[in-house]
Amino acid sequence: MHILVSGGTGFIGSHTVVELLNNGCDVTVFDNLSNSKATVIDKIEKLTGKRPAFFKCDMNNKAGMNRVFSSAHFDAVIHFAGYKAVGESVEKPLMYYENNICGTLVLLDMMKKYGVENLIFSSSATVYGIPEKCPVTESSPLSTLNPYGRTKLMIEDILRDVASADKTFSTVLLRYFNPVGCHPSGLISEDPNGIPNNLMPRIIQAVRGQIPELTVFGDDYDTRDGTCIRDYIHVVDLAKGHVAALDYVTSHKGSVAINLGTGNGCTVLELLKSFERVNNLKVPYSIAGRREGDSPAVYADTSLAKELLGWTAGLGLDDMCRDAWKGACMNG
Ligand SMILES: NC(=O)c1ccc[n+]([C@@H]2O[C@H](COP(=O)([O-])OP(=O)(O)OC[C@H]3O[C@@H](n4cnc5c(N)ncnc54)[C@H](O)[C@@H]3O)[C@@H](O)[C@H]2O)c1
């Protein structure tokens, strides 16, 4: 199978490309490099012994996209490309709608034009807003709190509409929980161009003294230790989930949303303590008040992924913390 990967030099995309190549797929990547570097392609080749075809291309650039799509016939597209910073999306909503939504429309247009029927989309647990109960199943109510989340919800709706109008189209909407860690070699990792906002990159910054300390928002939630619970998933497990979804998307029609998480809720302090223990490091931190829009607990019901994809996460918190630190050390 030949797979086209949008945003394939990014964090989750690059890990998925490695798994695809290791599973015998041919891979073409396109990325505008707004949040990643072209050297990732060299690293992927080093890890797998195979070099994916690469196009530096923005998905809103139709001429460039025509070049990508006419370079080979693709059996499926895995669509990672998009902006993902919640805070930035609040400040620059139009930039998010244009990039994520208009870009996806161009991608769908190209798929139709070039006869590509199968799409796996990077959705997010953010589409569950503040869940009423956990674990969150795929049929839990959908809502969201910011423009980034709205782009995910809107794209899910668009893809469901396309699948119901076009009976040849197949799409799997993968709702990721909280991806962390990196390839155990440390060679590819989360390497954002801007200021990271997620917990693991902030922990790493605090350890390195790049920020004075980690701020933990709220320790008075109704959880084991008062801090928020999330479902952290190792990015290599997540990448393997895409390979499993590829089998599904190419053998079914229609649309389905599937959670990709471990199903295990972990508090902020548990992640922090695990990071300290595994890496023998101290993380400077302080407790601040609750942050608006934070849910006390969000973790996945993963039974649908097991049933439809035959996939479950295998790696634990210690692997995530060890690999995240190794990746940070190796990539500056
Ligand atoms: N990392 C997370 O915590 C998380 C959680 C849930 C969902 N997601 C989604 O998964 C996807 C991948 O996330 P990631 O963490 O790997 O992010 P990332 O920023 O590392 O990767 C996204 C890639 O898309 C590229 N890109 C952005 N706009 C583009 C455009 N117009 N044309 C071509 N390339 C473009 C960027 O340069 C980047 O390499 C995103 O859609 C994100 O919203 C991420």
Side-chain angles (χ1 to χ4, degrees):
M1 278 203 281
H2 196 150
I3 313 304
L4 177 63
V5 182
S6 86
T9 44
F11 173 44
I12 306 170
S14 58
H15 285 84
T16 301
V17 171
V18 167
E19 296 304 321
L20 291 169
L21 292 169
N22 285 342
N23 277 274
C25 294
D26 293 320
V27 178
T28 294
V29 169
F30 79 85
D31 197 299
N32 67 0
L33 304 179
S34 58
N35 198 33
S36 57
K37 299 183 182 74
T39 48
V40 167
I41 298 293
D42 303 327
K43 295 178 180 181
I44 290 171
E45 184 178 15
K46 207 167 171 184
L47 286 174
T48 63
K50 295 172 198 161
R51 190 173 183 86
F54 175 66
F55 291 82
K56 180 174 185 238
C57 177
D58 189 293
M59 62 183 164
N60 272 307
N61 173 350
K62 287 192 182 174
M65 290 291 277
N66 269 300
R67 276 194 290 280
V68 171
F69 272 83
S70 51
S71 69
H73 175 73
F74 303 114
D75 299 285
V77 175
I78 306 185
H79 179 26
F80 295 102
Y83 296 151
K84 62 167 184 176
V86 170
E88 187 183 52
S89 80
V90 174
E91 283 162 26
K92 301 175 185 170
L94 292 180
M95 189 175 106
Y96 271 67
Y97 291 126
E98 174 161 12
N99 192 57
N100 295 5
I101 295 181
C102 299
T104 300
L105 295 180
V106 173
L107 182 67
L108 287 169
D109 200 31
M110 292 293 150
M111 288 178 66
K112 185 81 188 155
K113 181 170 169 189
Y114 289 90
V116 184
E117 295 171 346
N118 305 308
L119 177 72
I120 296 172
F121 172 59
S122 298
S123 189
S124 165
T126 193
V127 300
Y128 296 119
I130 298 185
E132 279 160 25
K133 54 181 184 194
C134 280
V136 184
T137 70
E138 288 79 356
S139 53
S140 299
L142 302 180
S143 73
T144 187
L145 303 161
N146 52 69
Y148 164 70
R150 274 187 277 284
T151 69
K152 293 295 175 197
L153 263 185
M154 286 180 200
I155 295 169
E156 283 204 3
D157 281 337
I158 291 167
L159 295 177
R160 274 188 284 269
D161 286 344
V162 173
S164 67
D166 177 353
K167 299 301 174 208
T168 64
F169 187 71
S170 174
T171 186
V172 175
L173 318 170
L174 294 178
R175 293 180 180 154
Y176 312 152
F177 280 65
N178 297 73
V180 293
C182 72
H183 191 274
S185 66
L187 208 54
I188 50 173
S189 67
E190 190 165 14
D191 189 15
N193 287 337
I195 302 156
N197 264 320
N198 295 346
L199 181 56
M200 188 65 92
R202 299 291 285 177
I203 287 178
I204 288 167
Q205 284 190 324
V207 169
R208 288 177 152 168
Q210 291 164 330
I211 53 172
E213 59 189 6
L214 176 79
T215 307
V216 176
F217 295 102
D219 66 349
D220 57 351
Y221 289 99
D222 185 17
T223 61
R224 288 187 288 278
D225 57 26
T227 62
C228 289
I229 291 181
R230 293 292 178 270
D231 184 342
Y232 297 97
I233 173 167
H234 197 295
V235 67
V236 171
D237 274 334
L238 193 68
K240 288 180 176 164
H242 291 74
V243 178
L246 196 55
D247 285 340
Y248 187 88
V249 82
T250 51
S251 56
H252 294 78
K253 293 295 168 197
S255 65
V256 62
I258 303 177
N259 288 341
L260 291 187
T262 62
N264 302 318
C266 159
T267 71
V268 173
L269 290 181
E270 284 165 356
L271 182 71
L272 203 144
K273 294 297 163 201
S274 174
F275 187 93
E276 289 190 328
R277 181 174 43 75
V278 168
N279 297 312
N280 199 21
L281 289 164
K282 206 88 202 118
V283 183
Y285 74 93
S286 66
I287 306 284
R290 293 182 182 197
R291 194 170 50 176
E292 201 186 329
D294 273 348
S295 195
V298 188
Y299 55 95
D301 181 314
T302 58
S303 43
L304 194 64
K306 191 170 185 190
E307 182 192 327
L308 298 185
L309 310 182
W311 172 92
T312 47
L315 297 166
L317 213 52
D318 287 2
D319 303 299
M320 300 178 209
C321 292
R322 185 185 325 104
D323 294 340
W325 180 239
K326 185 168 183 190
C329 294
M330 284 184 66
N331 291 285

